[in-house]
Amino acid sequence: MYTRYRRIVQSVVMALIFAVPVLNIYEIYAVTGTLYALNFGGLGVADPAVILQAIFAAGELTVPLLSAALFPLLVAVLFGRIWCGWFCPFLFLAEGADWLRNKIGAKRWPRIFGRGVWVQNPLAANATRYAFLLGGTALAGAIAIPVLNYVNAPGILSTEAMIFVKERTVSIEFGLIVILFVLQLTILPKMWCRLFCPTGAVISLFRSPFGLRVISLARQTTSPCCRENTCTSVCPMGLAPFRDAGNLLCVNCGKCIEACPLGNLAFQGFEIRPASAKR
Amino acid sequence: MIKLLKDVIEYLRLGTSDDYKVNRTRPPGAVDEKRFMALCIRCNRCLEVCPYHSIVRAGFGGKIGTPYIFSESKGCYLCMACCQLCPTGALDRTLNNPEQVKMGKAKIDPKICYSHLFLEHDVVPDESLTKIGALCNTCYNVCPLKDAAIVLKDNLYPVVTDACVGCGVCVERCPTSPIRAIHVIPTGMGRIDEAGFYFRKAKSHFEKSRSSASQQPGQPLSGERLLDEKFKIDSSGKQPTFEFPYEKPSSLEGWE
């Protein structure tokens, strides 16, 4: 159920990153911009990681910079990492890579990164992406150029869509998307989102304990409830939802809730529906 | 050895000549180049909103993704739509008066300009059509700040004044080929591409000594204050007053 809604929302976002430049060519400016920074009829919204870069690179904290990052951070406080799970076109692409992986049987290829490798561990994945974010931000502050913007995958994807619509070509940055797609197809699925994405890292920091999140209703949360360990096998972020349902990596996609044969997992948020009501 | 290393660091810090190019400006309202590179998040909203498609994305290199206006292909028509949309303040969003834009300054090359060739050097259209002299004045006619930025000297040939904002429409429309007779030199460039390493070194020294607070009243002047003092030396407007040492004759003999 959630997956179906998610596909609809992701398709709409994917269509919009092509439709907005077309509308702008016909001088309809209701929505302008790319996924680096958008403007919905006056409401300016910018990628918080990008804003963080600009703050450190310019060495100044101005009102326009802060106000642009305010809305996405508010969404993160209320809904967690919902941007990544439900809207980000790059995760859509990564899930496409996963689908292709199943189709061509890439799962049976010799695995370089097995389950036991450290990057599969959620703690190590979190450590990697925060190290990447910190290093990139420090470098941006040192050389006064927002370097992480060069590798902002959703931003690049939407910019390339705009360039394609306007000029019928793509720029060199499209190579990054292609490289990431191939790497995710062959070596490590969801590699970018789990290990590097600076936007996701900043959004994760702002998720709150009372916002939307997945909780486990099982009595004990140390070992899997069912023998198949369904939730762990479907989680796109490589988590074990029965144990670390509230992990920073969780994108609120709802796959584990759908897959759970016992109904032990549920969304919870704003304390509208108490945890015991599901039982 | 340390001195050499210092020189290399200085060279890198001063940037390469890629920073500025003739006929390549930032969009209107852009802050100075170094701060612009820090603040611009490459969201390309300015590019998207530009109704004339003047703003172009920079290609491969350190400046990839940042907006540029290449005046030779399309100038800026000063609609000021882009400045108000910039989310980070890389383009000054308070700016909405086209006359206050400072993208650069246009410069006419009198050796190529048709009007200058015709009037100053008496070149007339010859059969080979390699050098044409004509009263063209296209730049004057297309200038958005006509009669302020480009004026007709003696009502005949175009001259660029200090009111020029560097929009580059004149460059786009200039009929000479293959080289345009008018160029836009972006703000902050100072023809660094034509100068050498020692010029840039000297420029950095000059900029260091700019701060007038460090200069004592007794010390010899340097930097900008010296320039200010030098610019004050100007004879125009004042008539020298001196007495003629001889008496003017009231009438000349034999002439009346």
Side-chain angles (χ1 to χ4, degrees), chain A residues 48-135:
Chain A
V50 162
I51 292 296
L52 186 74
Q53 289 279 299
I55 287 172
F56 273 85
E60 60 187 63
L61 203 61
T62 55
V63 175
L65 281 172
L66 283 179
S67 63
L70 200 64
F71 183 72
L73 293 182
L74 196 70
V75 170
V77 166
L78 292 180
F79 298 102
R81 219 179 139 188
I82 199 169
W83 158 257
C84 300
W86 288 66
F87 297 94
C88 180
F90 190 78
L91 187 77
F92 193 36
L93 213 65
E95 284 177 334
D98 271 12
W99 176 80
L100 204 62
R101 208 176 144 84
N102 284 341
K103 268 275 190 240
I104 63 176
K107 274 196 168 172
R108 288 189 297 277
W109 293 358
R111 293 177 80 161
I112 301 167
F113 293 106
R115 278 251 163 225
V117 179
W118 64 275
V119 281
Q120 292 289 354
N121 181 5
L123 190 69
N126 273 325
T128 311
R129 63 191 185 128
Y130 284 113
F132 187 68
L133 177 71
L134 273 179

Side-chain angles (χ1 to χ4, degrees), chain A residues 134-268:
Chain A
L134 273 179
T137 311
L139 188 63
I143 65 174
I145 292 171
V147 279
L148 283 187
N149 294 1
Y150 295 131
V151 291
N152 190 316
I156 288 176
L157 200 59
S158 84
T159 310
E160 294 305 319
M162 185 196 70
I163 294 170
F164 181 75
V165 166
K166 279 191 125 174
E167 297 165 15
R168 295 284 186 281
T169 174
V170 287
S171 77
I172 188 107
E173 286 154 301
F174 193 67
L176 180 79
I177 303 287
V178 173
I179 289 168
L180 283 178
F181 189 85
V182 171
L183 283 180
Q184 292 183 343
L185 189 65
T186 54
I187 298 176
L188 197 62
K190 314 283 193 323
M191 187 185 81
W192 176 257
C193 307
R194 289 184 71 240
L195 299 179
F196 298 107
C197 184
T199 310
V202 175
I203 288 176
S204 297
L205 284 179
F206 282 85
R207 55 179 297 163
S208 60
F210 51 83
L212 189 71
R213 68 204 183 275
V214 177
I215 56 155
S216 174
L217 304 172
R219 291 226 178 77
Q220 49 86 25
T221 55
T222 47
S223 61
C225 334
C226 58
R227 202 186 309 151
E228 291 83 8
N229 201 352
T230 329
C231 51
T232 312
S233 62
V234 296
C235 182
M237 292 292 128
L239 298 172
F242 63 86
R243 187 181 57 224
D244 34 34
N247 196 287
L248 285 177
L249 271 174
C250 178
V251 294
N252 288 345
C253 68
K255 265 188 176 173
C256 50
I257 300 173
E258 279 178 354
C260 185
L262 304 173
N264 271 346
L265 294 163
F267 270 134
Q268 195 180 16

Side-chain angles (χ1 to χ4, degrees), chain B residues 126-141:
Chain B
D126 59 357
E127 285 173 2
S128 64
L129 290 176
T130 48
K131 272 191 164 181
I132 310 170
L135 281 176
C136 152
N137 295 345
T138 309
C139 48
Y140 168 77
N141 287 322

Side-chain angles (χ1 to χ4, degrees), chain A residues 21 24 29 32-34 36-39 50 54 57-58 60 64-65 144-146 149-150 159 162-163 166 171-173, chain B residues 34-35 37-45 47-51 53 57 60-65 85 87-89 93:
Chain A
N24 288 347
Y29 297 128
T32 57
T34 59
Y36 283 115
L38 279 170
N39 191 330
V50 162
E60 60 187 63
L65 281 172
I145 292 171
N149 294 1
Y150 295 131
T159 310
M162 185 196 70
I163 294 170
K166 279 191 125 174
S171 77
I172 188 107
E173 286 154 301
Chain B
K34 209 170 176 185
R35 198 154 157 261
M37 280 302 289
L39 276 175
C40 176
I41 58 171
R42 291 113 173 107
C43 70
N44 290 274
R45 249 157 84 181
L47 189 146
E48 213 167 23
V49 84
C50 181
H53 306 287
R57 215 166 165 270
F60 186 68
K63 317 236 168 193
I64 185 166
L85 270 170
T88 58
R93 62 170 71 189

